[in-house]
Amino acid sequence: MQSIAIVLLGIVGMLLGWFVYSKFIATKIFKLDDNFTTPAHELQDGKDFVPTNKVVLWGHHFTSVAGAAPIVGPAIAVYWGWVPAVLWVIFGTILFAGVHDMGALWASARHKGKSMGALSESVIGKRSRSLFMIVIFLVLLMVNAVFGVVIANSFVSQPNAVFPAWTAIAVALVIGQLLKRNFGLIPLCLVGIVVLYASVYAGSYIPISLPETMFGLADKANWIVILFIYAAIASLLPVWMLLQPRDFINGMQLLVGLFLLYGAVFFAMPDITAPAFNTQTAMDSPSLIPLLFVTIACGAVSGFHGIVASGTSSKQLDKETDVRFVGYLGAIGEGSLALITIVAVSGVAFAASPEEWHEVYSHLGAGSVGAFISGGAALIHQGWGLQEAFSSTILAVMVVLFAGTTMDSGVRLQRYIIQEWGDIYKLSALKNGVVATFLAVACCLLLAFGAGGSSGGGGMIIWPLFGSTNQILASLTLLVISVMLIKMGRPARYTLIPMVFVLVMAFFAGLIKLKEYYLAENYLLVFLDAVVLVVSVLVMLEAWSVVAKLRSGHQDEVGEKE
């Protein structure tokens, strides 16, 4: 019965956030204006800047920011107990993530679709732009390199997921062409979902595997190469051709998955076997504060969301008022996934007794995607009667498709960053889309195989930095939005308070990790962690200087009001 209480608390809280808080922020703080000409219309090019139906854009934004992170983070953070995880997901979604994602989307749209790094120049200053973009590029590098490994691992361990994962791409290409020819969105959506789930069923009987060794590389490494070749091609295609329809189908697929999982909770009414607060943590376990707030990022608040919002979503925004639907509702979608993940790995469907649960969660880092798939499949079996094997395939495909759409968008975003560097530093070669894409993919593969050898798992080496780096980026994004609001003479406390909280937690987590890396003599991570911490301090000082000038009335020294 505790599981139903968790679900109801989350649903009520997020509904209040959507109908009350997001409406207040949209109308009173950001003052979204239907008459404002968005970059999608002003700079329309049929490739990257394309006015898009808000439902389709929501699908793109939601699945791009989701990835596997709102599953991985909560599934790990339950280690400290389900109460802290649930509270951070609910309040983080309502007060932090929704405002952060809306704000990044709005700020970018007001600056011709520039990324948060590039637009920080006009909001804060030139020095902050260069520093900001270093952190953004590092986060994208981590996400792309690691998600390539995550998908490759899933293809090797779950060969049943390979066929439906690639079928989804073919279906998306067809739907993109039909949408371009003005076919109805709802019928296409229904057909797409039916075909996708038919392929999931077929995948159970058509496992696809690569040879254990091919071209001198193991099967996992070959999958990584194939995935990056695909991502490079996908990132160069017009957004309407693949990115939008694929992300929209995946968004609808997630809604089906959420319906199955939430429905199973109400039908099965499982008890919670995980402790509310875990008092049996290992001796060397880090403290809940501040590590909880960087372990659960996506699903509460995440800097990566700001990269997507200002990188691809802002370029497809049809009306400025769509910011609320795309940004805040996208955050609620992530929060809903994070919440049901906590239930799936905390209840009797996952572990029949507290002792069995503690056996699995013997240390921080246990659980993760495997716990979600096994616990979620058992929950669906109890609630709906579906076979666990089929349910496992559904959830495995969901994870793979999320990670894949994030990787698609991530490579495209890396291309944008490199092209923006070309504009900033007057390097015409970097402005070329093919050249920029090649460099983006080359950086990811260099990390994957240069640091990880023939396994291609090099991204995992710097992945431990992701939590604190990602949350520092979220605080920097909230800082840019706050300075922009101050320059416009609007209240900034609704973004400043979340910014301060996230920054303090992420900064201290970064310091804890810095000591941990140093004691382990992992000097690469020591160096990168130190760079991120120093960069964040320098950007904060730059912003404080701008705010001080504004308060003293020296508006001319920081640029005109927006």
Side-chain angles (χ1 to χ4, degrees), residues 248-261:
F248 182 67
I249 290 172
N250 289 348
M252 296 302 103
Q253 179 242 172
L254 174 64
L255 291 180
V256 173
L258 289 176
F259 174 77
L260 290 174
L261 289 166

Side-chain angles (χ1 to χ4, degrees), residues 88-89 92-94 96-98 296-302 305 331 334-335 338 471:
W88 174 229
V89 164
T93 296
I94 298 168
F96 291 70
I296 299 180
C298 297
V301 63
S302 167
H305 294 196
E334 278 227 324
Q471 297 304 68

Side-chain angles (χ1 to χ4, degrees), residues 95-265:
L95 302 175
F96 291 70
V99 176
H100 170 278
D101 294 11
M102 281 176 65
L105 189 53
W106 166 73
S108 178
R110 285 279 169 166
H111 288 85
K112 300 185 183 297
K114 290 182 180 179
S115 70
M116 291 305 302
L119 70 85
S120 66
E121 176 183 359
S122 54
V123 176
I124 299 177
K126 288 185 178 180
R127 283 176 293 189
S128 69
R129 173 199 65 197
S130 301
L131 297 170
F132 210 121
M133 291 178 78
I134 290 172
V135 180
I136 291 175
F137 192 82
L138 184 58
V139 168
L140 286 171
L141 187 62
M142 291 179 190
V143 168
N144 291 337
V146 171
F147 276 23
V149 175
V150 169
I151 300 170
N153 285 340
S154 297
F155 281 169
V156 172
S157 63
Q158 296 271 353
N160 292 344
V162 176
F163 178 74
W166 292 103
T167 299
I169 296 171
V171 171
L173 285 168
V174 172
I175 289 180
Q177 295 294 330
L178 294 177
L179 283 174
K180 195 71 173 177
R181 289 162 175 76
N182 297 318
F183 278 72
L185 176 62
I186 293 178
L188 288 177
C189 171
L190 294 175
V191 171
I193 290 296
V194 170
V195 173
L196 178 60
Y197 277 95
S199 73
V200 171
Y201 181 77
S204 301
Y205 299 94
I206 314 174
I208 298 175
S209 301
L210 293 178
E212 289 188 11
T213 303
M214 188 170 63
F215 305 119
L217 297 173
D219 49 0
K220 186 180 79 172
N222 277 305
W223 274 125
I224 291 172
V225 174
I226 292 169
L227 288 165
F228 273 109
I229 292 172
Y230 157 74
I233 296 170
S235 72
L236 288 168
L237 294 176
V239 291
W240 61 265
M241 186 177 292
L242 177 60
L243 188 69
Q244 288 178 350
R246 181 182 177 186
D247 289 356
F248 182 67
I249 290 172
N250 289 348
M252 296 302 103
Q253 179 242 172
L254 174 64
L255 291 180
V256 173
L258 289 176
F259 174 77
L260 290 174
L261 289 166
Y262 275 92
V265 171

